[in-house]
Amino acid sequence: MRAKVILMVLALMGMSHAEEDDSVVRFTNGDQLTGRLMSMAADRLVWKSVILKEPWEFELAHVLELGMPAKMGVEAAPEGEHEVVLEMRNKDTIKGRLVGLTDDEITLDTWYAGKLVVRRVNVNEVKINRTSEILYRGPTSLEGWHTDEGERGWEFKAGGLQSKGATGISREIDFTDECKVAFDASWRGGFRPRLVIFSEDAEAENPQGGFELVFQANTVHVKRGGANAWLGHSTNAGILREQESARIEIRASLKSGKILMYVDGRLIEMWEDADVKSLKSGKGFHIIAQDNNPMRISNIVVSEWDGYVDEVPRRRNDFRIQRFQGDFQMEMEPEEEEEVKPEPEEGRMILVNGDSIQGEVLGIEGEMIKVKTSLSEVSFPVHRLKNIVLKKADMEDAKLYKGDVRATLSDGTRLVFRLDAVKDGKLVGFSQQFGTAEFSQDAFRRIEFNIHTTKLDDLRKKDGW
C-alpha cells in the first residue's frame, strides 16, 4: 500500500514538526500521520504535512479514522434555552433544539446541519437539557495556555493537549460562581493528574485557592488549592483503572461549596466545603501531570451551571479513605441498596423538579411546549422537562451502507451516515434516520471510516495518540 511505504520511510526519518500538527490520520495497517487536511472527497483525502514535500492523496479505503480540531468556538454555541438529546436505536446521539414533534417525526434545529427531521421509528429516547453559556471551548492551539516548563512540558497535537512529563499547563477562564468543566481524557499507565479550578494565579506552579481534585489511578481526593486537609472522603473511581479514556465532568459551586464529579455521564461522587465563604478564588484553571506517563486532554468545555443537584452518588460496600495532613483513617461504609428508579409510564414526562406530567404533546412554538392533559391544555418552557416519553412504535433496524462513516462532533453529537460528497466545506451524507443532510466540516473532531469492517474493531479501540 502506498501509504504504508511512505509512513515507514517517515518513521525512519524520526522528524518532529509538532508545531504544524493540528490533525491526525490513522490507517488500516496501524500507521498514522499528523498534519493538516487539505481536502476530502467521498473516496479519498488530500493530506499535507511538513515532512512531505507536497500534499499526498490517500484512498479512504485505507483510512481508519481522521481526527481534527473542530472549530466550534464559544460564539457557535446552540441558541435557545434548551437542548434535546436523541438517543437512537443504532446508538447514535443527535443534539439540537426541538422545533417540531409528531407521531412520525422529530424536528431539530442544529448548528451543524440546519434542520434535521428525524424519523420517530429510529429514536429510543428523548432527553432534554437546559443550555448554559459557554465560557471556554477548546483547545485549538497552545495560544492562551501557560506551561510550567515551556515547550518541554506540554504540546498541542492532533487537537489535544499532551503531557511530556510531570509538569502543568494552565490558563485563565472567566469562571462564573457555579460552573461545569468537562473534557475528554486518555492516558497510559494510570490517570494521575491534579486538576485545579478557581485558583488565584493561572501561572503559578503550585496554585493556591479554589478547589483541587487529585486523581490517583482509581481514587480521587478533593481539597482546597494549596491546603493540606481533604474535603470529606476520597472516592473509589474504579472505572478510571479499568480503561484508558473517559469523558470527565466537574461541577463546582462557590455558593454552596458542592463539587461533583461525573465519569462518562455517571455521577461518581459529591464533596462539599462547608466553609466555602472563606475560600479564596480566581480565574485559574490547571491540569498538572504528576508523573511521566503520557496523558492527553481534549474537547474541553467550560460552561455555566445552575447549581442544581438532581441525584446523589450510589455507593455499595465502598472502602472510603479520609486523610488529614499525612494521617490515614480507613472505614467501611454500610451497605446501601441501589435505588431502582421506575420506568416512566407511557406519555408521562419528568420535570426538572422531580414532578411529572402525563399527556399528549400538541406542539412546539419557540421555547414553549404545549401539552394536553386529562384536565386541560398547558404550556411551559421546554427546558423545564427532563424527557419526553414517546408513544410506542415498531422500531426499525438500521441499514448498513457502503461508504458509511461514524462522525463525532465538537458538542458530543455522534452519528452514522453514508458519505456521498464533500463540497464547499460541507459533508453531504445520507441516513435512513434523517435522509440527506449537509454538515459543516468545521464541526467534526473525529470521522471513522470502514466502520463495518469488523476485523478493524480492535485497532479502532486504540486511540493512536
Side-chain angles (χ1 to χ4, degrees):
M1 186 180 92
R2 187 180 190 187
K4 183 174 182 179
V5 174
I6 292 293
L7 295 178
M8 289 176 63
V9 172
L10 297 178
L12 293 174
M13 293 171 63
M15 300 179 67
S16 175
H17 297 271
E19 68 276 7
E20 293 292 332
D21 297 338
D22 72 348
S23 303
V24 61
V25 59
R26 297 178 63 204
F27 298 93
T28 55
N29 70 339
D31 290 336
Q32 70 178 49
L33 179 64
T34 54
R36 294 178 182 271
L37 178 67
M38 300 300 294
S39 63
M40 185 166 60
D43 62 345
R44 65 192 63 239
L45 61 81
V46 178
W47 195 257
K48 180 181 180 181
S49 174
V50 293
I51 51 180
L52 294 174
K53 290 185 177 179
E54 57 185 20
W56 206 267
E57 188 176 273
F58 298 101
E59 295 180 0
L60 295 184
H62 302 306
V63 175
L64 183 72
E65 68 178 39
L66 174 64
M68 48 192 174
K71 298 177 181 178
M72 177 184 175
V74 172
E75 68 283 354
E79 296 182 357
E81 293 187 79
H82 78 274
E83 177 186 69
V84 164
V85 182
L86 301 184
E87 301 288 349
M88 310 301 294
R89 181 174 172 82
N90 69 344
K91 308 302 182 184
D92 282 2
T93 300
I94 304 177
K95 297 182 178 182
R97 189 167 66 92
L98 184 64
V99 294
L101 176 63
T102 69
D103 289 344
D104 300 318
E105 297 176 339
I106 300 173
T107 304
L108 301 183
D109 187 11
T110 71
W111 62 271
Y112 49 84
K115 286 189 177 180
L116 285 182
V117 180
V118 182
R119 298 177 64 211
R120 161 69 184 91
V121 292
N122 300 122
V123 181
N124 272 341
E125 190 173 5
V126 181
K127 299 179 180 178
I128 300 174
N129 299 319
R130 185 166 188 172
T131 55
S132 303
E133 181 182 353
I134 304 298
L135 307 174
Y136 171 80
R137 189 190 298 273
T140 56
S141 69
L142 280 179
E143 184 179 355
W145 290 89
H146 169 78
T147 54
D148 292 347
E149 296 187 13
E151 295 182 357
R152 295 179 299 169
W154 289 70
E155 63 180 341
F156 177 79
K157 190 174 184 179
L161 302 171
Q162 297 187 22
S163 66
K164 297 194 290 184
T167 184
I169 189 168
S170 57
R171 69 173 296 130
E172 280 195 356
I173 293 177
D174 289 326
F175 291 114
T176 53
D177 286 347
E178 296 180 308
C179 64
K180 297 184 288 188
V181 178
F183 56 89
D184 292 331
S186 52
W187 57 89
R188 300 292 182 266
F191 189 56
R192 297 183 179 88
R194 292 162 51 208
L195 181 71
V196 185
I197 57 177
F198 297 123
S199 86
E200 293 184 279
D201 185 353
E203 297 189 3
E205 293 190 21
N206 295 298
Q208 305 291 306
F211 298 120
E212 178 175 336
L213 290 88
V214 182
F215 294 79
Q216 295 290 350
N218 65 317
T219 60
V220 186
H221 314 273
V222 176
K223 65 175 183 174
R224 292 185 174 194
N228 293 320
W230 302 101
L231 298 176
H233 297 88
S234 72
T235 191
N236 186 344
I239 189 173
L240 298 178
R241 179 184 58 204
E242 298 163 1
Q243 57 196 46
E244 290 190 326
S245 64
R247 179 70 176 174
I248 295 175
E249 180 177 311
I250 308 299
R251 301 182 184 182
S253 171
L254 295 178
K255 296 179 179 179
S256 68
K258 289 184 171 62
I259 306 103
L260 292 81
M261 183 182 74
Y262 295 75
V263 177
D264 291 336
R266 176 190 171 192
L267 177 60
I268 301 299
E269 188 57 277
M270 180 176 70
W271 299 267
E272 186 170 357
D273 186 339
D275 189 27
V276 68
K277 291 183 179 180
S278 67
L279 178 73
K280 295 181 179 180
S281 62
K283 298 181 179 181
F285 172 54
H286 307 251
I287 306 167
I288 304 167
Q290 298 186 86
D291 56 30
N292 291 323
N293 290 325
M295 173 174 57
R296 186 171 188 270
I297 305 295
S298 61
N299 193 27
I300 303 171
V301 179
V302 181
S303 59
E304 288 186 337
W305 175 41
D306 60 10
Y308 181 69
V309 178
D310 59 356
E311 60 177 327
V312 295
R314 298 177 183 179
R315 309 184 184 98
R316 193 177 179 88
N317 279 346
D318 286 347
F319 280 101
R320 321 293 291 174
I321 302 173
Q322 188 160 1
R323 188 182 308 179
F324 296 96
Q325 299 181 355
D327 296 327
F328 291 83
Q329 179 182 348
M330 180 174 289
E331 58 186 32
M332 175 81 80
E333 288 198 343
E335 182 174 326
E336 298 180 8
E337 293 295 330
E338 184 170 315
E339 179 185 359
V340 178
K341 295 183 178 180
E343 291 292 327
E345 298 176 11
E346 180 177 348
R348 184 167 292 278
M349 294 166 282
I350 308 302
L351 301 172
V352 293
N353 66 353
D355 293 340
S356 64
I357 185 172
Q358 188 172 24
E360 177 188 356
V361 176
L362 298 178
I364 308 290
E365 185 174 346
E367 292 291 321
M368 303 296 289
I369 185 170
K370 179 180 287 188
V371 178
K372 181 180 181 181
T373 72
S374 59
L375 300 176
S376 63
E377 295 182 4
V378 295
S379 296
F380 51 89
V382 178
H383 69 255
R384 291 186 181 174
L385 284 172
K386 294 183 66 175
N387 73 312
I388 295 177
V389 180
L390 302 173
K391 293 183 179 179
K392 291 183 178 179
D394 294 330
M395 304 302 285
E396 184 178 77
D397 291 331
K399 296 179 181 179
L400 308 183
Y401 296 99
K402 182 180 180 180
D404 274 352
V405 300
R406 183 182 298 111
T408 304
L409 280 62
S410 63
D411 68 351
T413 292
R414 182 176 180 270
L415 38 79
V416 171
F417 58 88
R418 185 186 68 208
L419 181 60
D420 290 337
V422 180
K423 60 180 182 181
D424 301 326
K426 303 280 188 179
L427 273 64
V428 182
F430 172 82
S431 167
Q432 72 182 97
Q433 301 183 124
F434 47 75
T436 297
E438 294 187 1
F439 302 91
S440 172
Q441 183 173 314
D442 289 343
F444 295 94
R445 60 183 176 88
R446 186 184 187 194
I447 304 175
E448 301 172 70
F449 303 91
N450 303 297
I451 61 175
H452 303 312
T453 305
T454 56
K455 66 180 181 180
L456 297 175
D457 288 348
D458 288 341
L459 180 60
R460 201 179 301 279
K461 292 176 182 177
K462 302 176 181 178
D463 57 13
W465 61 272

